[in-house]
Amino acid sequence: MSRAAFAILSTENLLHNLAIIKKRAPGSSIIAMIKANGYGHGLRSTALRLENQVQSFGVASIDEALALRRVGIKIPITLMEGVFEPSELLIAACENFHVVFHEQMQLNWLKAQASLLPLKLTAWIKIDTGMGRLGFMLDEAADAYKFLMNHGQVNQPVGIMSHFACADEPDHQLNQQQHDLFSRFVADKEGPKSFCNSAAIFTRTADHYQVVRPGISLYGVSPLPAVNGVDLGLRPVMTLQTRLMAVRRVQQGSTIGYGASFTCLEPMPIGVIALGYGDGYPRTARDGTPVLINGVRCPLIGRISMDMMTVDLRNFPTAKVNDPVVLWGDGLPLEEIALCTQQSPYDIVTAVQSRVKFHWTLSV
């Protein structure tokens, strides 16, 4: 009997979430963010299920983009961090990768490489309206935009994008400041505009523009604190599962796990679950973090081990070896698990490791 650590990935829920996003932003095209291995769900398998439903895929590097082309993805792929060296411009032109330009060095590379490009590039310019990360500062952005608009090897018009820093806090004053800066900059400029990530799609309707860029919401996880995905109409794409590998009855005063951090205050049944931080489960999960055993909520006790964790079975004393265990997903929101850790849903879902076997519902 092999060790059971697997994730059931729902094609139906993935497409449902995309439909919810389209309903929220009905006038916008979609750049589906599938960087970081599809937010832990699988770069290639996620893309294959979404290709006919979106206008582009958003990735962090040209390596991710090339991996998608190798499995037959044909739609445009947007390099959200642009190119990292001059030679990547040639690859981008040949492969129909849309390039986000966010600093002067990238423009210098384009100027030097222009004569080598066999096809025109599709380009975006990114401006920094308050995120303080990537993007041209506003006092230099107009010149960068003009350079791209006048470049003979760039398809016209050029797109303009920025990124909200606090869209998950709807009342934060920076949201309005960024809105004002972006709207003034783009007011007299051609081309598609894009400002909204997942959180902004749900909180900043006035900033949807022509293109939105959903990430975590595609996978059924809420981008907003204190809100579960189900509250937004989303459904979890990933259900992380395993099974009980042992059931024991321990005596009052017994301690559980590394550091003896949990002491049994009475005789009690406990279960050992065949999954741990080596599979990507958060090591910081504290006592009381829920799991589902045959649909019954039971709390974790003791420290998370690399390959195992321990659960209090007093809520389900008839549990037995091989009973199915859900760590998060269908019936148990990942957002709830995150609240029991020192991590965010983003950290947790992208940390699922390769020894977890992935099984998608519905083939493509």
Side-chain angles (χ1 to χ4, degrees), residues 20-344:
I20 292 294
I21 292 162
K22 288 181 175 180
K23 186 175 180 179
R24 289 278 186 159
S28 302
S29 298
I30 304 286
I31 297 178
M33 301 305 298
I34 57 171
K35 59 184 180 175
N37 194 31
Y39 284 62
H41 292 67
L43 174 74
R44 300 162 185 82
S45 52
T46 300
L48 288 167
R49 285 161 173 80
L50 291 176
E51 181 175 22
N52 296 328
Q53 307 290 329
V54 301
Q55 286 66 52
S56 178
F57 289 122
V59 299
S61 70
I62 205 162
D63 291 334
E64 290 177 331
L66 288 170
L68 293 179
R69 287 286 184 256
R70 285 194 288 269
V71 295
I73 297 297
K74 294 181 172 59
I75 67 171
I77 300 170
T78 305
L79 305 178
M80 301 303 299
E81 297 177 21
V83 294
F84 287 80
E85 57 184 47
S87 62
E88 292 183 357
L89 289 167
L90 175 61
I91 299 171
C94 292
E95 296 284 354
N96 193 19
F97 297 158
H98 295 185
V99 179
V100 177
F101 290 88
H102 58 80
E103 67 171 9
Q104 185 60 45
M105 179 62 74
Q106 294 171 327
L107 299 182
N108 294 343
W109 292 342
L110 177 60
K111 186 176 182 179
Q113 295 282 313
S115 62
L116 302 178
L117 301 183
L119 299 168
K120 290 186 177 183
L121 282 173
T122 297
W124 291 83
I125 179 176
K126 187 167 191 175
I127 63 173
D128 183 6
T129 56
M131 183 69 169
R133 199 171 58 179
L134 297 181
F136 289 95
M137 303 303 291
L138 289 173
D139 60 353
E140 55 189 18
D143 287 342
Y145 174 79
K146 183 178 179 180
F147 171 82
L148 290 171
M149 285 290 289
N150 292 329
H151 199 289
Q153 285 301 101
V154 173
N155 289 316
Q156 304 300 323
V158 172
I160 306 170
M161 69 170 60
S162 192
H163 197 89
F164 279 107
C166 302
D168 59 346
E169 301 176 59
D171 297 327
H172 198 291
Q173 63 180 6
L174 184 56
N175 292 323
Q176 188 62 40
Q177 293 175 24
Q178 288 192 260
H179 165 88
D180 293 343
L181 290 170
F182 189 78
S183 59
R184 283 199 295 267
F185 182 82
V186 304
D188 60 347
K189 295 178 177 62
E190 300 178 68
K193 286 84 179 178
S194 180
F195 206 175
C196 289
N197 61 355
S198 284
I201 289 168
F202 288 93
T203 63
R204 304 290 305 180
T205 303
D207 296 302
H208 285 168
Y209 289 100
Q210 291 82 15
V211 181
V212 294
R213 312 187 303 268
I216 196 75
S217 59
L218 277 172
Y219 308 96
V221 179
S222 170
L224 307 176
V227 177
N228 288 340
V230 67
D231 300 320
L232 301 174
L234 305 173
R235 299 173 184 168
V237 174
M238 178 188 293
T239 297
L240 184 64
Q241 297 184 233
T242 184
R243 58 191 173 204
L244 282 179
M245 61 185 297
V247 174
R248 306 174 59 223
R249 188 164 185 87
V250 298
Q251 299 303 309
Q252 180 179 354
S254 297
T255 58
I256 304 297
Y258 287 116
S261 62
F262 182 88
T263 301
C264 301
L265 299 180
E266 60 182 74
M268 57 186 285
I270 66 166
V272 181
I273 294 172
L275 191 142
Y277 67 78
D279 302 289
Y281 194 86
R283 193 180 186 192
T284 59
R286 59 179 179 267
D287 290 348
T289 302
V291 300
L292 295 179
I293 302 177
N294 262 342
V296 179
R297 291 172 70 99
C298 297
L300 295 179
I301 54 175
R303 291 185 190 173
I304 306 299
S305 300
M306 182 179 290
D307 313 302
M308 294 172 279
M309 61 185 80
T310 312
V311 62
D312 178 350
L313 292 178
R314 283 177 291 182
N315 289 348
F316 190 21
T318 59
K320 57 187 182 300
V321 172
N322 285 332
D323 276 351
V325 180
V326 170
L327 287 310
W328 66 69
D330 189 18
L332 185 59
L334 175 61
E335 298 92 329
E336 183 177 352
I337 304 306
L339 291 174
C340 297
T341 74
Q342 298 171 17
Q343 293 158 262
S344 76

